[in-house]
Amino acid sequence: MASALLFALLSAALLASTATTRVEARAFFVFGDSLVDVGNNNYLATTARADAPPYGIDYPGRRATGRFSNGFNIPDLISQSIGQSESPLPYLSPSMSGSKLLIGANFASAGVGILNDTGVQFVNIIRIGQQLQYFQQYQSRVSQIIGPVEAQRLVNQALVLITLGGNDFVNNYYLVPFSARSRQYTLQNYVPFIISEYRKVLKRLHGLGARKVLVTGTGPLGCVPAELAQRSRNGECSAELQRAAGLFNPQLTQMLLSLNSELGGDIFVAANTQLTHYDFINNPQAFGFVTSKVACCGQGRYNGIGLCTPLSNLCPNRDVYAFWDPFHPSERANRIIVQQILTGDLNYMNPMNLSTILAMDSQT
């Protein structure tokens, strides 16, 4: 009887120490759209999926995982940069349990935006309000494993990435001519409206315990192959969509700085991904790309029409294309974006880059 009790106590102590050890590694949480989705939409009845070849052609095992990429996407590369052994799983994955929960979780879902009416054509996607509800549910699940105090510490010390906004233009305001939102708002009024809605999302995220949050702006919306195919005569970027991105990104940065001031700390960090994209769109050769206009996978003009499918044109060398499909960067372009997130100056990362955040944390 005594030996059985001793065994039980030793097992409990070992389990507790293992859990604590694993929590010592920084957790990572991801919210947003297809730029950061790692496969949640695989588990939903939606057309916004990337679970068939040639997606994942350069991913380990050449598997289509649900990432809108030929290989790794931005969360994968950030995860590697902060020393995680693996990227957090999609929250809807059946494997998301036990020790896997302690790494963090990816709640992102392709097609979503800041607004609930963004991406309605995709039907079953995890809108941002639901992503935050799942984050709340996640915390309850982790509390059952390591206790509420340790769970709160895990969340407070975690790194968070959120990527929203692009779909509120391409899959809402500009989705069709005379869309409901474009009849309701001029562009100059629409942008402050979605920024104010985004502020509410971020305050709720802070209320759920997030304390280190990378917030990416939109890329150069008018320069992606899909928009060039539809709107460009000679390969020039769409002026209207560029105007939208040019209004949104500075207002996002100002809102984040204002929110930090209100909350009394550098909680939110603005990542100027539009500027990073511009670097290799304006001068692709300087970054080793042969083109920033034509997608690697697609069809029609600039390979920008429709979806990337097994029947699409497919480039032999993904590393020399800035865009993998009509909307999404290649893995190599994602690496350039993440490098700027890590080391970029104030023009790219405001008020500080990720390397600075990690260095400051290591001293506390």
Side-chain angles (χ1 to χ4, degrees), residues 56-67:
I57 189 170
D58 298 309
Y59 190 81
R62 296 172 67 89
R63 292 182 299 116
T65 58
R67 291 161 171 82

Side-chain angles (χ1 to χ4, degrees), residues 304-325:
I305 303 294
L307 302 171
C308 171
T309 73
L311 300 177
S312 297
N313 301 319
L314 180 65
C315 69
N317 182 1
R318 274 71 64 184
D319 283 349
V320 295
Y321 282 71
F323 285 95
W324 155 245
D325 71 8

